[in-house]
Amino acid sequence: MATVLSPPEERILLQDVSWETYQSLLVDQRDRSVPRLSYDGGLLEIMSPSGEHEEVNDRFKYLVLAIAEELDLDLRTFGSKTFKRADLAKGFEPDSCFYIQNLAGISDTIDPDLSLHPPPDIVVEIDLTHPSLDKFPIYAQTGVPEVWIYSGQRVFIHLLHEGVYKESETSKALKGVTATDLTRFINEAPQMKLREWLRSVRHWARSL
């Protein structure tokens, strides 16, 4: 039987792109999950995720939802929704994002606006290939408290402190959860059936 390989994710970085052009592209791509656009003062990254990328992303969503349920935490997730700040000339579409501590700040909306509402508490970025645009300045200036980066081998947690991200072993939004825990579960997922994997996640999370 032939093996069908998923095409790798593609990233294109454009320079000297105006905010108006970025806005026009967002309108053209409205209601589409791909490609994902990130904008930083004239730099525009266009990213088309691979099948592997999307499968890993789904596992992160399942993982966070299962942990939050066992910790008795309410949350809202907005997937790869577009977040932008015209005054900062910055915009991003994460792989996944979650509101937990900032949940009360978006109780009046189904479409958070960074000019009116707080940012997500956790943003997840999956970097199976080397990213062409450093997104930390975008996240820092828009005030995202916590960023998880998955390199294809490890999960790294970065917490915002005085405008700069510092690597941390532990999550701020999900107390007791470590980068080591996240790495283990994400890397175990491909070898397990989904229901078995979720069962193991929930069993572990109850111990927290």
Side-chain angles (χ1 to χ4, degrees):
M1 180 181 295
T3 300
V4 179
L5 299 177
S6 172
E9 61 188 22
E10 298 179 355
R11 296 177 186 267
I12 299 172
L13 183 63
L14 303 177
Q15 301 184 28
D16 300 322
V17 177
S18 69
W19 179 261
E20 291 73 23
T21 298
Y22 169 57
Q23 293 294 99
S24 296
L25 288 171
L26 290 178
V27 171
D28 290 341
Q29 298 298 321
R30 185 166 43 202
D31 298 327
R32 298 180 185 176
S33 60
V34 292
R36 293 180 190 144
L37 308 179
S38 298
Y39 185 84
D40 188 3
L43 294 174
L44 175 67
E45 182 190 73
I46 303 173
M47 193 276 282
S48 296
S50 64
E52 179 187 5
H53 184 118
E54 294 294 68
E55 186 171 32
V56 172
N57 188 35
D58 283 343
R59 294 289 179 151
F60 270 102
K61 294 175 185 175
Y62 291 134
L63 181 59
V64 172
L65 291 171
I67 293 172
E69 183 177 358
E70 295 300 331
L71 295 179
D72 198 28
L73 295 173
D74 197 9
L75 61 73
R76 291 175 70 182
T77 177
F78 287 89
S80 56
K81 168 192 156 45
T82 302
F83 293 90
K84 58 186 178 178
R85 282 276 302 270
D87 58 324
L88 300 175
K90 297 188 185 297
F92 64 90
E93 293 173 343
D95 286 308
S96 293
C97 64
F98 305 91
Y99 280 87
I100 304 172
Q101 281 82 4
N102 282 335
L103 194 58
I106 60 167
S107 61
D108 64 336
T109 184
I110 58 172
D111 188 19
D113 179 343
L114 289 183
S115 65
L116 302 171
H117 304 101
D121 292 284
I122 298 174
V123 158
V124 176
E125 284 289 342
I126 299 161
D127 293 333
L128 302 181
T129 60
H130 293 296
S132 54
L133 177 64
D134 180 6
K135 298 185 181 66
F136 279 127
I138 302 176
Y139 295 140
Q141 290 199 36
T142 53
V144 175
E146 185 167 341
V147 178
W148 295 358
I149 305 290
Y150 180 61
S151 68
Q153 295 180 327
R154 289 182 56 197
V155 179
F156 299 88
I157 296 175
H158 300 269
L159 302 181
L160 188 62
H161 179 70
E162 296 181 352
V164 177
Y165 284 102
K166 296 184 178 180
E167 189 175 333
S168 171
E169 174 60 15
T170 58
S171 171
K172 180 180 179 181
L174 294 174
K175 302 298 183 183
V177 175
T178 70
T180 300
D181 297 325
L182 297 173
T183 297
R184 175 167 65 90
F185 283 114
I186 291 298
N187 288 342
E188 284 179 351
Q191 286 77 48
M192 302 174 68
K193 294 181 178 178
L194 179 59
R195 65 180 183 277
E196 295 172 350
W197 180 76
L198 281 171
R199 192 179 301 123
S200 71
V201 171
R202 294 180 186 280
H203 177 75
W204 165 80
R206 291 187 195 107
S207 69
L208 296 177

